[in-house]
mmCIF file of all heavy atoms in Angstrom:
data_model
loop_
_atom_site.group_PDB
_atom_site.id
_atom_site.type_symbol
_atom_site.label_atom_id
_atom_site.label_comp_id
_atom_site.label_asym_id
_atom_site.label_seq_id
_atom_site.Cartn_x
_atom_site.Cartn_y
_atom_site.Cartn_z
ATOM 1 N N THR A 1 6.151 41.441 12.684
ATOM 2 C CA THR A 1 6.478 40.044 12.955
ATOM 3 C C THR A 1 6.786 39.302 11.655
ATOM 4 O O THR A 1 6.246 39.620 10.591
ATOM 5 C CB THR A 1 5.319 39.326 13.670
ATOM 6 O OG1 THR A 1 4.205 39.254 12.805
ATOM 7 C CG2 THR A 1 4.939 40.058 14.949
ATOM 8 N N MET A 2 7.642 38.287 11.765
ATOM 9 C CA MET A 2 8.034 37.535 10.584
ATOM 10 C C MET A 2 6.822 36.849 9.948
ATOM 11 O O MET A 2 6.699 36.816 8.716
ATOM 12 C CB MET A 2 9.094 36.487 10.944
ATOM 13 C CG MET A 2 9.619 35.728 9.735
ATOM 14 S SD MET A 2 10.879 34.492 10.140
ATOM 15 C CE MET A 2 12.242 35.537 10.638
ATOM 16 N N ILE A 3 5.923 36.309 10.753
ATOM 17 C CA ILE A 3 4.766 35.613 10.197
ATOM 18 C C ILE A 3 3.885 36.563 9.405
ATOM 19 O O ILE A 3 3.314 36.200 8.363
ATOM 20 C CB ILE A 3 3.950 34.889 11.303
ATOM 21 C CG1 ILE A 3 2.898 33.965 10.676
ATOM 22 C CG2 ILE A 3 3.311 35.897 12.248
ATOM 23 C CD1 ILE A 3 3.475 32.845 9.858
ATOM 24 N N ASP A 4 3.777 37.813 9.855
ATOM 25 C CA ASP A 4 2.981 38.798 9.112
ATOM 26 C C ASP A 4 3.636 39.123 7.774
ATOM 27 O O ASP A 4 2.938 39.315 6.765
ATOM 28 C CB ASP A 4 2.808 40.082 9.927
ATOM 29 C CG ASP A 4 1.788 39.937 11.048
ATOM 30 O OD1 ASP A 4 0.960 39.009 10.963
ATOM 31 O OD2 ASP A 4 1.828 40.740 11.997
ATOM 32 N N LEU A 5 4.955 39.170 7.748
ATOM 33 C CA LEU A 5 5.667 39.450 6.506
ATOM 34 C C LEU A 5 5.546 38.269 5.541
ATOM 35 O O LEU A 5 5.354 38.443 4.339
ATOM 36 C CB LEU A 5 7.145 39.753 6.793
ATOM 37 C CG LEU A 5 7.431 41.032 7.592
ATOM 38 C CD1 LEU A 5 8.918 41.113 7.938
ATOM 39 C CD2 LEU A 5 7.004 42.267 6.811
ATOM 40 N N ILE A 6 5.666 37.060 6.085
ATOM 41 C CA ILE A 6 5.601 35.863 5.237
ATOM 42 C C ILE A 6 4.216 35.688 4.623
ATOM 43 O O ILE A 6 4.084 35.231 3.478
ATOM 44 C CB ILE A 6 5.985 34.619 6.062
ATOM 45 C CG1 ILE A 6 7.466 34.680 6.443
ATOM 46 C CG2 ILE A 6 5.695 33.333 5.290
ATOM 47 C CD1 ILE A 6 7.906 33.590 7.387
ATOM 48 N N THR A 7 3.174 36.068 5.371
ATOM 49 C CA THR A 7 1.799 35.895 4.876
ATOM 50 C C THR A 7 1.257 37.160 4.209
ATOM 51 O O THR A 7 0.059 37.246 3.937
ATOM 52 C CB THR A 7 0.869 35.492 6.032
ATOM 53 O OG1 THR A 7 0.929 36.500 7.069
ATOM 54 C CG2 THR A 7 1.274 34.142 6.614
ATOM 55 N N SER A 8 2.129 38.087 3.909
ATOM 56 C CA SER A 8 1.696 39.345 3.295
ATOM 57 C C SER A 8 1.248 39.145 1.852
ATOM 58 O O SER A 8 1.682 38.199 1.175
ATOM 59 C CB SER A 8 2.840 40.360 3.330
ATOM 60 O OG SER A 8 3.905 39.925 2.481
ATOM 61 N N PRO A 9 0.382 40.017 1.336
ATOM 62 C CA PRO A 9 -0.018 39.940 -0.080
ATOM 63 C C PRO A 9 1.179 40.010 -1.024
ATOM 64 O O PRO A 9 1.176 39.372 -2.083
ATOM 65 C CB PRO A 9 -0.935 41.151 -0.244
ATOM 66 C CG PRO A 9 -1.498 41.382 1.127
ATOM 67 C CD PRO A 9 -0.356 41.071 2.060
ATOM 68 N N GLN A 10 2.200 40.767 -0.656
ATOM 69 C CA GLN A 10 3.391 40.871 -1.506
ATOM 70 C C GLN A 10 4.064 39.515 -1.683
ATOM 71 O O GLN A 10 4.452 39.141 -2.797
ATOM 72 C CB GLN A 10 4.395 41.870 -0.902
ATOM 73 C CG GLN A 10 5.669 42.029 -1.727
ATOM 74 C CD GLN A 10 6.678 42.964 -1.082
ATOM 75 O OE1 GLN A 10 6.359 43.698 -0.148
ATOM 76 N NE2 GLN A 10 7.907 42.951 -1.565
ATOM 77 N N GLN A 11 4.186 38.768 -0.595
ATOM 78 C CA GLN A 11 4.820 37.455 -0.686
ATOM 79 C C GLN A 11 3.928 36.450 -1.424
ATOM 80 O O GLN A 11 4.419 35.607 -2.176
ATOM 81 C CB GLN A 11 5.170 36.932 0.707
ATOM 82 C CG GLN A 11 5.906 35.609 0.712
ATOM 83 C CD GLN A 11 7.273 35.664 0.032
ATOM 84 O OE1 GLN A 11 7.732 36.722 -0.406
ATOM 85 N NE2 GLN A 11 7.940 34.528 -0.068
ATOM 86 N N ALA A 12 2.636 36.541 -1.217
ATOM 87 C CA ALA A 12 1.715 35.658 -1.932
ATOM 88 C C ALA A 12 1.806 35.900 -3.434
ATOM 89 O O ALA A 12 1.842 34.952 -4.233
ATOM 90 C CB ALA A 12 0.292 35.894 -1.444
ATOM 91 N N GLU A 13 1.887 37.167 -3.826
ATOM 92 C CA GLU A 13 2.017 37.509 -5.246
ATOM 93 C C GLU A 13 3.336 36.991 -5.809
ATOM 94 O O GLU A 13 3.397 36.482 -6.934
ATOM 95 C CB GLU A 13 1.923 39.021 -5.420
ATOM 96 C CG GLU A 13 1.992 39.481 -6.865
ATOM 97 C CD GLU A 13 1.887 40.998 -6.996
ATOM 98 O OE1 GLU A 13 1.616 41.677 -5.976
ATOM 99 O OE2 GLU A 13 2.094 41.499 -8.114
ATOM 100 N N PHE A 14 4.408 37.100 -5.017
ATOM 101 C CA PHE A 14 5.706 36.598 -5.445
ATOM 102 C C PHE A 14 5.643 35.098 -5.708
ATOM 103 O O PHE A 14 6.144 34.597 -6.721
ATOM 104 C CB PHE A 14 6.758 36.896 -4.374
ATOM 105 C CG PHE A 14 8.118 36.327 -4.680
ATOM 106 C CD1 PHE A 14 9.040 37.046 -5.431
ATOM 107 C CD2 PHE A 14 8.485 35.059 -4.222
ATOM 108 C CE1 PHE A 14 10.285 36.515 -5.732
ATOM 109 C CE2 PHE A 14 9.726 34.519 -4.522
ATOM 110 C CZ PHE A 14 10.632 35.258 -5.272
ATOM 111 N N GLY A 15 5.025 34.356 -4.800
ATOM 112 C CA GLY A 15 4.951 32.909 -4.943
ATOM 113 C C GLY A 15 4.131 32.462 -6.137
ATOM 114 O O GLY A 15 4.468 31.478 -6.800
ATOM 115 N N LEU A 16 3.063 33.186 -6.436
ATOM 116 C CA LEU A 16 2.195 32.825 -7.552
ATOM 117 C C LEU A 16 2.804 33.176 -8.906
ATOM 118 O O LEU A 16 2.402 32.621 -9.931
ATOM 119 C CB LEU A 16 0.842 33.516 -7.404
ATOM 120 C CG LEU A 16 -0.033 33.027 -6.248
ATOM 121 C CD1 LEU A 16 -1.268 33.903 -6.115
ATOM 122 C CD2 LEU A 16 -0.446 31.569 -6.466
ATOM 123 N N ALA A 17 3.777 34.084 -8.907
ATOM 124 C CA ALA A 17 4.388 34.521 -10.164
ATOM 125 C C ALA A 17 5.090 33.374 -10.877
ATOM 126 O O ALA A 17 5.162 33.355 -12.109
ATOM 127 C CB ALA A 17 5.373 35.658 -9.905
ATOM 128 N N GLU A 18 5.613 32.401 -10.122
ATOM 129 C CA GLU A 18 6.266 31.263 -10.765
ATOM 130 C C GLU A 18 5.279 30.530 -11.667
ATOM 131 O O GLU A 18 5.647 30.056 -12.752
ATOM 132 C CB GLU A 18 6.837 30.299 -9.724
ATOM 133 C CG GLU A 18 7.541 29.100 -10.365
ATOM 134 C CD GLU A 18 8.313 28.250 -9.368
ATOM 135 O OE1 GLU A 18 8.151 28.447 -8.151
ATOM 136 O OE2 GLU A 18 9.083 27.391 -9.822
ATOM 137 N N ARG A 19 4.039 30.440 -11.249
ATOM 138 C CA ARG A 19 3.016 29.756 -12.033
ATOM 139 C C ARG A 19 2.421 30.638 -13.124
ATOM 140 O O ARG A 19 2.145 30.179 -14.236
ATOM 141 C CB ARG A 19 1.883 29.308 -11.091
ATOM 142 C CG ARG A 19 0.747 28.570 -11.769
ATOM 143 C CD ARG A 19 -0.451 28.446 -10.835
ATOM 144 N NE ARG A 19 -1.049 29.753 -10.573
ATOM 145 C CZ ARG A 19 -1.955 29.970 -9.609
ATOM 146 N NH1 ARG A 19 -2.327 28.985 -8.813
ATOM 147 N NH2 ARG A 19 -2.459 31.180 -9.436
ATOM 148 N N ASP A 20 2.228 31.922 -12.801
ATOM 149 C CA ASP A 20 1.446 32.790 -13.680
ATOM 150 C C ASP A 20 2.254 33.628 -14.664
ATOM 151 O O ASP A 20 1.690 34.118 -15.650
ATOM 152 C CB ASP A 20 0.586 33.734 -12.824
ATOM 153 C CG ASP A 20 -0.383 32.989 -11.924
ATOM 154 O OD1 ASP A 20 -0.715 31.824 -12.256
ATOM 155 O OD2 ASP A 20 -0.784 33.549 -10.891
ATOM 156 N N ALA A 21 3.570 33.811 -14.414
ATOM 157 C CA ALA A 21 4.344 34.745 -15.221
ATOM 158 C C ALA A 21 5.019 34.181 -16.467
ATOM 159 O O ALA A 21 5.431 34.953 -17.325
ATOM 160 C CB ALA A 21 5.405 35.426 -14.335
ATOM 161 N N PRO A 22 5.201 32.862 -16.628
ATOM 162 C CA PRO A 22 5.912 32.369 -17.812
ATOM 163 C C PRO A 22 5.239 32.785 -19.112
ATOM 164 O O PRO A 22 4.016 32.971 -19.150
ATOM 165 C CB PRO A 22 5.877 30.845 -17.645
ATOM 166 C CG PRO A 22 5.703 30.622 -16.194
ATOM 167 C CD PRO A 22 4.826 31.749 -15.727
ATOM 168 N N PRO A 23 6.000 32.924 -20.184
ATOM 169 C CA PRO A 23 5.414 33.276 -21.481
ATOM 170 C C PRO A 23 4.533 32.148 -22.022
ATOM 171 O O PRO A 23 4.596 31.008 -21.552
ATOM 172 C CB PRO A 23 6.647 33.501 -22.375
ATOM 173 C CG PRO A 23 7.734 32.707 -21.720
ATOM 174 C CD PRO A 23 7.469 32.780 -20.251
ATOM 175 N N GLY A 24 3.729 32.481 -23.020
ATOM 176 C CA GLY A 24 2.808 31.506 -23.591
ATOM 177 C C GLY A 24 3.500 30.268 -24.118
ATOM 178 O O GLY A 24 2.985 29.153 -24.011
ATOM 179 N N PHE A 25 4.689 30.424 -24.685
ATOM 180 C CA PHE A 25 5.453 29.299 -25.205
ATOM 181 C C PHE A 25 5.704 28.273 -24.109
ATOM 182 O O PHE A 25 5.621 27.061 -24.344
ATOM 183 C CB PHE A 25 6.785 29.805 -25.766
ATOM 184 C CG PHE A 25 7.711 28.735 -26.281
ATOM 185 C CD1 PHE A 25 7.559 28.220 -27.557
ATOM 186 C CD2 PHE A 25 8.745 28.254 -25.481
ATOM 187 C CE1 PHE A 25 8.416 27.235 -28.038
ATOM 188 C CE2 PHE A 25 9.605 27.267 -25.949
ATOM 189 C CZ PHE A 25 9.433 26.766 -27.225
ATOM 190 N N CYS A 26 5.976 28.748 -22.916
ATOM 191 C CA CYS A 26 6.229 27.874 -21.770
ATOM 192 C C CYS A 26 4.925 27.243 -21.282
ATOM 193 O O CYS A 26 4.861 26.041 -21.020
ATOM 194 C CB CYS A 26 6.886 28.679 -20.649
ATOM 195 S SG CYS A 26 7.190 27.750 -19.129
ATOM 196 N N ARG A 27 3.874 28.037 -21.183
ATOM 197 C CA ARG A 27 2.603 27.527 -20.660
ATOM 198 C C ARG A 27 1.997 26.458 -21.559
ATOM 199 O O ARG A 27 1.248 25.604 -21.092
ATOM 200 C CB ARG A 27 1.621 28.680 -20.445
ATOM 201 C CG ARG A 27 2.036 29.655 -19.353
ATOM 202 C CD ARG A 27 0.872 30.536 -18.935
ATOM 203 N NE ARG A 27 0.374 31.348 -20.029
ATOM 204 C CZ ARG A 27 0.833 32.556 -20.339
ATOM 205 N NH1 ARG A 27 1.845 33.079 -19.642
ATOM 206 N NH2 ARG A 27 0.316 33.241 -21.337
ATOM 207 N N ARG A 28 2.332 26.492 -22.840
ATOM 208 C CA ARG A 28 1.782 25.506 -23.778
ATOM 209 C C ARG A 28 2.649 24.257 -23.904
ATOM 210 O O ARG A 28 2.281 23.304 -24.596
ATOM 211 C CB ARG A 28 1.627 26.138 -25.169
ATOM 212 C CG ARG A 28 0.588 27.243 -25.249
ATOM 213 C CD ARG A 28 0.360 27.684 -26.678
ATOM 214 N NE ARG A 28 1.553 28.277 -27.275
ATOM 215 C CZ ARG A 28 1.871 29.577 -27.229
ATOM 216 N NH1 ARG A 28 1.060 30.415 -26.595
ATOM 217 N NH2 ARG A 28 2.964 30.022 -27.798
ATOM 218 N N CYS A 29 3.773 24.216 -23.233
ATOM 219 C CA CYS A 29 4.731 23.115 -23.357
ATOM 220 C C CYS A 29 4.169 21.828 -22.745
ATOM 221 O O CYS A 29 3.539 21.851 -21.685
ATOM 222 C CB CYS A 29 6.038 23.491 -22.667
ATOM 223 S SG CYS A 29 7.300 22.190 -22.719
ATOM 224 N N ASP A 30 4.436 20.704 -23.414
ATOM 225 C CA ASP A 30 3.877 19.432 -22.929
ATOM 226 C C ASP A 30 4.621 18.861 -21.731
ATOM 227 O O ASP A 30 4.185 17.857 -21.159
ATOM 228 C CB ASP A 30 3.814 18.405 -24.054
ATOM 229 C CG ASP A 30 5.188 18.025 -24.589
ATOM 230 O OD1 ASP A 30 6.180 18.684 -24.227
ATOM 231 O OD2 ASP A 30 5.273 17.067 -25.371
ATOM 232 N N VAL A 31 5.736 19.462 -21.328
ATOM 233 C CA VAL A 31 6.416 19.011 -20.113
ATOM 234 C C VAL A 31 6.448 20.109 -19.048
ATOM 235 O O VAL A 31 7.186 20.014 -18.078
ATOM 236 C CB VAL A 31 7.853 18.507 -20.395
ATOM 237 C CG1 VAL A 31 7.825 17.251 -21.245
ATOM 238 C CG2 VAL A 31 8.717 19.582 -21.030
ATOM 239 N N ARG A 32 5.628 21.111 -19.218
ATOM 240 C CA ARG A 32 5.625 22.181 -18.227
ATOM 241 C C ARG A 32 5.256 21.671 -16.839
ATOM 242 O O ARG A 32 5.749 22.140 -15.818
ATOM 243 C CB ARG A 32 4.653 23.295 -18.640
ATOM 244 C CG ARG A 32 4.811 24.517 -17.726
ATOM 245 C CD ARG A 32 3.654 25.459 -17.796
ATOM 246 N NE ARG A 32 3.804 26.473 -16.745
ATOM 247 C CZ ARG A 32 2.829 27.250 -16.335
ATOM 248 N NH1 ARG A 32 1.638 27.144 -16.876
ATOM 249 N NH2 ARG A 32 3.027 28.119 -15.370
ATOM 250 N N PHE A 33 4.361 20.676 -16.782
ATOM 251 C CA PHE A 33 3.957 20.118 -15.486
ATOM 252 C C PHE A 33 5.140 19.523 -14.734
ATOM 253 O O PHE A 33 5.099 19.367 -13.513
ATOM 254 C CB PHE A 33 2.894 19.028 -15.690
ATOM 255 C CG PHE A 33 3.446 17.762 -16.275
ATOM 256 C CD1 PHE A 33 3.883 16.733 -15.462
ATOM 257 C CD2 PHE A 33 3.574 17.617 -17.650
ATOM 258 C CE1 PHE A 33 4.414 15.569 -16.007
ATOM 259 C CE2 PHE A 33 4.093 16.457 -18.199
ATOM 260 C CZ PHE A 33 4.518 15.431 -17.379
ATOM 261 N N ALA A 34 6.207 19.185 -15.459
ATOM 262 C CA ALA A 34 7.377 18.567 -14.834
ATOM 263 C C ALA A 34 8.398 19.608 -14.383
ATOM 264 O O ALA A 34 9.020 19.452 -13.334
ATOM 265 C CB ALA A 34 8.034 17.588 -15.795
ATOM 266 N N CYS A 35 8.577 20.665 -15.152
ATOM 267 C CA CYS A 35 9.583 21.671 -14.774
ATOM 268 C C CYS A 35 8.958 22.929 -14.195
ATOM 269 O O CYS A 35 9.617 23.686 -13.492
ATOM 270 C CB CYS A 35 10.459 22.033 -15.974
ATOM 271 S SG CYS A 35 9.718 23.188 -17.150
ATOM 272 N N HIS A 36 7.679 23.195 -14.508
ATOM 273 C CA HIS A 36 6.970 24.389 -14.042
ATOM 274 C C HIS A 36 7.692 25.677 -14.411
ATOM 275 O O HIS A 36 7.625 26.672 -13.677
ATOM 276 C CB HIS A 36 6.715 24.315 -12.537
ATOM 277 C CG HIS A 36 5.657 23.313 -12.168
ATOM 278 N ND1 HIS A 36 4.329 23.435 -12.551
ATOM 279 C CD2 HIS A 36 5.737 22.147 -11.485
ATOM 280 C CE1 HIS A 36 3.644 22.409 -12.105
ATOM 281 N NE2 HIS A 36 4.465 21.601 -11.460
ATOM 282 N N GLY A 37 8.401 25.634 -15.526
ATOM 283 C CA GLY A 37 9.048 26.852 -16.000
ATOM 284 C C GLY A 37 10.380 27.170 -15.363
ATOM 285 O O GLY A 37 11.040 28.123 -15.753
ATOM 286 N N GLY A 38 10.776 26.386 -14.362
ATOM 287 C CA GLY A 38 12.047 26.641 -13.692
ATOM 288 C C GLY A 38 12.008 27.880 -12.818
ATOM 289 O O GLY A 38 11.006 28.602 -12.754
#
């Protein structure tokens, strides 16, 4: 089912990567809260 695929651990990991994967230079930026790394 689509809902099972959407709520899968794989998709959850994909969504969190936007927050967790940027390099340190990005995470330390004073405007990161505004762009979130793009």
Side-chain angles (χ1 to χ4, degrees):
T1 66
M2 184 180 291
I3 190 63
D4 284 340
L5 294 173
I6 292 173
T7 58
S8 67
Q10 180 183 346
Q11 183 63 4
E13 182 180 352
F14 176 88
L16 291 173
E18 181 170 11
R19 180 193 67 192
D20 300 337
F25 177 83
C26 177
R27 294 195 299 271
R28 293 188 296 270
C29 179
D30 64 350
V31 294
R32 189 197 171 196
F33 72 92
C35 79
H36 288 295

